[in-house]
Amino acid sequence: MLALQDYDEAVCMDYIDLPQLLSAAGEVRLPGSKSISNRVLLLAALAEGATEIHNLLASDDTARMLEALETLGVRSESLSGGCLRVQGVGGAFPNPRAELFLGNAGTAFRSLTATLALTGGAYTLRGVPRMHERPIGDLVDALRQLGAQIEYLEKEGFPPLRLSPARIRPGGAGRNVLHNVVQIRGDVSSQFLTGLLLALPLTGVETTIAVEGELISRPYVDITLALMARFGVAVARQGWQSFTLPAGARYRTPGTFHVEGDASSASYFLALGAIAAAPAAPVRVTGVGRASIQGDVRFADALREMGAKVELGDTWMQVCAPAAGLRGIALDCNHIPDAAMTLAVVALFAQGETRLTNIASWRVKETDRIAAMQRELEKLGAQVRAERDAIAILPPKSAAHFKPAIIDTYDDHRMAMCFSLAAFGAPLRINDPACTAKTFPDYFAHFLRLVRPAPVIAIDGPTASGKGTVSTRVAQALGFHSLDSGALYRLTALAAREAGVDWADEAGVAGIAAGLDVRFQEEGIFLAGREVGDLLRTEAIAAGASRVAALPAVRAALLFRQRAFRRAPGLVGDGRDMGSVVFPDAPLKVFLTASAEVRAERRWQQLAERGEAADRAAILADLKARDERDQTRAIAPLRPEPDARHLDTDHLDIAAATGQILAWYAEIRPQRD
Ligand code: DC
């Protein structure tokens, strides 16, 4: 298995590179549910008495809610075992004025808007720019029916908002003017109804909410109702069209509360199982199961429909892939809007089209998720049809049609998590992986623990050590892909020269490296459609390669291009820094050496065979000078990795050296394949 520490080099603020993955197995204990955590924090804050909350999710969204509650004067303290004790305020926040920043936390923004609008203080609520593009007008309209005073500070219908003391104070003299029926639209975001439901007990008056239009994302409303009941408020429901809060309702603490694992977060791991787990070693999640109050557990039904083998217990679920492969489905996703995103990526591995409908709410989430999903799936080679409230995905025609891609995540945690699964099709770079902090800060650590990547054999060594030839032979023997990384530097030098870019122009050459149009094929190496194998081997281009390889921006530009060669069933990569920077987690690293004298002799013989006269002493001097330069250069010096196996070929021919590497690989192979 791949350990996260192997990925120190790859995990950084900007991106994470994932090699092509072969299989998955193992168990994950899920972090607390985001939907439950933020609702419970608000309920515990509003309730009479203190609540000890266990397994609360630690993430950006919950941090925004906690900060907001603290600003409002709610006191909380961390207890041992990750438990949080919240001292309830009994319906009235101590601070009647406050400015709140709620990031991009939709649940926090909507529920606090409703709550604060009915509590009679003066507040402003802001978020990140995307939050200010997410509609809130329907909730504001509903609250205004109750006498709330709400102003839009920028654009009509959108945050930020200013709330002024409502004309109706809870329990105050204005009670008799409270309308006892309030209307709210149900077809934009169920968070509007949730916000209203959570806030209305503060008025103390019997109120009926009438939902206009079809209520979407009903399971989230179910979570709200279940949690309100735990805090002592029973809502009477007439279908999904009307909800009645009793007069005199008050929130009371249940004392302690255990947050179940997040069912939406579970979807990524269940999908891992469906795509790539063998029956004997399924992927299992614990902390959420059949007994959950979260609608997203029904994601498991969708996987089952696609053919996956699913087992559910009260507090666990496990999945493995079907022998016959997954099949595409058509599904109304109203009941699992968030987890449905995961299905869109699972669709890449199913036979036939997958069509997900009734997902209009995707358009008003962290990003326009329908548009984002289409753009990124197409990069991988899928055919995607986006509609107003639906998406249809046809996977790439075959494994060979899967394209390595750089995936953008749009500051949307779910985009980052979903697309990690696409690495079963091709190597990927996922930009801004830290955006998972919104709901699952250590997602990638868990993910990497469960997956097995395509193996790499990294071979390095001094010039003329025979590493190119040996690498090719090892790759052939194993049926692996091969990467001659030196060729990429040579191609860059050639392409730069042809474009008239000076080899010393770091930014210019890096731009060329990033945009190289190259194909490595049986018949040769093609640059922009032209075979250039012979040109690459000229002394002039070798000199240029050596120059451009010393430019850090060029090395950075070629990094993902090299990693993209790591495809099933495996890769043999040769060249400088293969085992250090490019594939630090390579299970086998080989440092191929031979004395300068032996290498000089081999080079001399090569030239002699080609009929080129050469001076042995001059070749030896030249090799020694190159060794010295290679070992002492500042950028990517020639140096064996501490965990590399040394293979001295002074007394070995190509076949024997190849045989030794294959023998080493056979030793480690049982744990890897
Ligand atoms: O192995 P080669 O001669 O084709 O390499 C061409 C140049 O690129 C040579 O100067 C070494 C350099 N190189 C590098 O810096 N890093 C690599 N991974 C491969 C080659």
Side-chain angles (χ1 to χ4, degrees):
M1 295 292 167
L2 192 71
L4 186 65
Q5 57 268 25
D6 294 331
Y7 261 79
D8 279 352
E9 199 63 40
V11 181
C12 65
M13 296 295 284
D14 298 336
Y15 60 79
I16 182 169
D17 284 343
L18 299 174
Q20 182 164 8
L21 303 174
L22 303 182
S23 64
E27 183 171 319
V28 174
R29 179 159 185 81
L30 294 164
S33 152
K34 175 194 78 161
S35 304
I36 296 177
S37 292
N38 263 356
R39 283 167 175 80
V40 164
L41 280 174
L42 182 59
L43 287 167
L46 292 173
E48 291 164 7
T51 309
E52 282 185 11
I53 309 175
H54 295 264
N55 197 36
L56 184 73
L57 174 65
S59 73
D60 286 353
D61 273 12
T62 48
R64 296 294 87 73
M65 180 61 116
L66 270 168
E67 282 161 15
L69 293 174
E70 198 177 306
T71 308
L72 293 165
V74 177
R75 283 182 296 120
S76 63
E77 60 176 321
S78 298
L79 307 178
S80 60
C83 169
L84 187 79
R85 186 171 187 279
V86 177
Q87 183 59 51
V89 297
F93 290 115
N95 294 340
R97 316 187 149 264
E99 299 214 349
L100 304 179
F101 174 76
L102 296 160
N104 203 5
T107 27
F109 205 104
R110 277 68 182 262
S111 60
L112 280 168
T113 296
T115 306
L116 295 173
L118 298 182
T119 52
Y123 302 101
T124 55
L125 287 84
R126 298 178 184 279
V128 296
R130 174 63 189 168
M131 192 72 233
H132 296 177
E133 294 171 356
R134 297 173 67 182
I136 197 160
D138 296 314
L139 177 60
V140 168
D141 291 347
L143 292 164
R144 282 175 175 165
Q145 294 168 44
L146 294 166
Q149 307 237 61
I150 305 174
E151 259 175 90
Y152 297 110
L153 291 175
E154 286 172 16
K155 192 167 150 208
E156 190 75 9
F158 297 84
L161 303 177
R162 176 181 294 134
L163 315 182
S164 307
R167 291 201 205 96
I168 310 103
R169 302 290 302 270
R175 251 189 196 206
N176 54 351
V177 293
L178 186 67
H179 298 235
N180 64 358
V181 173
V182 55
Q183 259 123 33
I184 181 103
R185 261 182 77 177
D187 55 358
V188 175
S189 168
S190 69
Q191 289 176 2
F192 299 159
L193 175 58
T194 280
L196 210 52
L197 283 165
L198 290 170
L200 276 170
L202 300 177
T203 66
V205 175
E206 179 175 326
T207 309
T208 295
I209 306 172
V211 177
E212 294 176 334
E214 195 201 348
L215 179 62
I216 59 167
S217 314
R218 291 172 185 173
Y220 288 107
V221 175
D222 266 339
I223 296 178
T224 307
L225 298 177
L227 296 178
M228 288 171 71
R230 280 295 300 280
F231 281 79
V233 173
V235 178
R237 173 163 82 76
Q238 294 83 43
W240 292 98
Q241 292 313 313
S242 108
F243 299 81
T244 302
L245 287 113
R250 303 177 84 88
Y251 290 127
R252 290 191 187 84
T253 177
T256 44
F257 187 95
H258 288 266
V259 178
E260 18 174 294
D262 193 299
S264 313
S265 299
S267 72
Y268 312 111
F269 298 105
L270 300 176
L272 259 187
I275 296 167
V283 173
R284 184 181 172 103
V285 298
T286 60
V288 68
R290 209 172 19 214
S292 170
I293 61 169
Q294 298 168 77
D296 270 357
V297 288
R298 294 204 35 215
F299 173 77
D301 298 339
L303 286 182
R304 204 177 264 143
E305 214 179 313
M306 295 182 89
K309 301 210 176 91
V310 179
E311 279 182 70
L312 299 186
D314 278 353
T315 60
W316 58 267
M317 307 196 235
Q318 69 181 35
V319 180
C320 63
L326 296 168
R327 51 181 180 267
I329 54 169
L331 187 71
D332 180 327
C333 295
N334 187 27
H335 62 301
I336 49 167
D338 281 357
M341 288 179 75
T342 313
L343 291 177
V345 182
V346 175
L348 292 171
F349 305 98
Q351 279 156 27
E353 185 182 86
T354 291
R355 185 155 187 274
L356 309 174
T357 56
N358 212 351
I359 52 167
S361 67
W362 281 21
R363 297 221 182 257
V364 294
K365 296 288 185 160
E366 280 79 345
T367 183
D368 176 342
R369 286 176 167 171
I370 294 183
M373 190 57 84
Q374 175 178 32
R375 218 171 294 129
E376 303 309 313
L377 288 171
E378 283 178 348
K379 287 182 185 172
L380 295 161
Q383 284 178 44
V384 182
R385 219 174 51 249
E387 298 163 30
R388 189 187 59 80
D389 63 349
I391 192 165
I393 300 122
L394 197 59
K397 282 199 232 36
S398 72
H401 288 83
F402 253 107
K403 293 188 272 192
I406 298 180
I407 300 296
D408 289 311
T409 49
Y410 310 84
D411 201 14
D412 184 346
H413 55 136
R414 298 208 186 284
M415 286 295 288
M417 295 190 279
C418 282
F419 273 89
S420 63
L421 301 167
F424 285 96
L428 301 177
R429 169 166 289 183
I430 297 186
N431 282 329
D432 188 22
C435 71
T436 64
K438 188 169 198 289
T439 52
F440 202 161
D442 51 1
Y443 171 75
F444 279 102
H446 286 289
F447 177 81
L448 291 174
R449 201 167 46 75
L450 299 189
V451 296
R452 191 169 58 88
V456 182
I457 301 175
I459 301 181
D460 197 1
T463 186
S465 60
K467 59 183 190 297
T469 315
V470 170
S471 297
T472 309
R473 297 276 180 92
V474 172
Q476 277 167 354
L478 293 170
F480 280 12
H481 301 275
S482 74
L483 164 62
D484 167 6
S485 60
L488 286 175
Y489 291 96
R490 289 168 185 257
L491 281 158
T492 302
L494 175 62
R497 195 179 65 179
E498 295 192 339
V501 174
D502 193 285
W503 286 334
D505 171 2
E506 182 162 0
V509 180
I512 297 276
L516 276 184
D517 170 12
V518 53
R519 274 183 297 126
F520 289 88
Q521 288 184 325
E522 292 274 330
E523 311 82 61
I525 302 176
F526 294 81
L527 182 64
R530 182 169 55 113
E531 211 287 315
V532 293
D534 289 339
L535 259 176
L536 290 185
R537 280 186 284 275
T538 60
E539 278 308 310
I541 292 304
S546 163
R547 298 266 306 277
V548 302
L551 304 173
V554 172
R555 301 196 78 82
L558 290 176
L559 187 57
F560 180 63
R561 198 178 274 275
Q562 295 175 77
R563 289 180 173 157
F565 280 81
R566 189 173 180 179
R567 304 196 70 158
L571 172 70
V572 180
D574 82 82
R576 204 63 38 76
D577 72 14
M578 277 296 101
S580 54
V581 175
V582 185
F583 304 113
D585 67 315
L588 177 59
K589 299 177 187 175
V590 178
F591 194 73
L592 209 63
T593 56
S595 65
E597 287 71 20
V598 169
R599 287 182 282 134
E601 181 61 26
R602 287 179 189 159
R603 171 75 37 104
W604 181 83
Q605 273 179 7
Q606 256 177 9
L607 292 172
E609 275 162 27
R610 280 198 239 149
E612 294 175 33
D615 174 22
R616 277 196 168 86
I619 293 176
L620 179 60
D622 184 49
L623 269 181
K624 284 186 169 165
R626 257 187 90 169
D627 284 354
E628 172 69 17
R629 268 205 317 275
D630 284 351
Q631 283 158 7
T632 53
R633 73 181 202 187
I635 303 291
L638 174 67
R639 193 181 295 152
E641 280 299 288
D643 54 347
R645 302 199 196 199
H646 290 245
L647 185 56
D648 185 339
T649 65
D650 269 7
H651 306 290
L652 296 180
D653 62 9
I654 299 278
T658 304
Q660 178 59 70
I661 295 175
L662 291 171
W664 280 337
Y665 186 65
E667 277 172 29
I668 59 163
R669 193 180 179 138
Q671 312 135 38
R672 299 274 165 187
D673 285 1

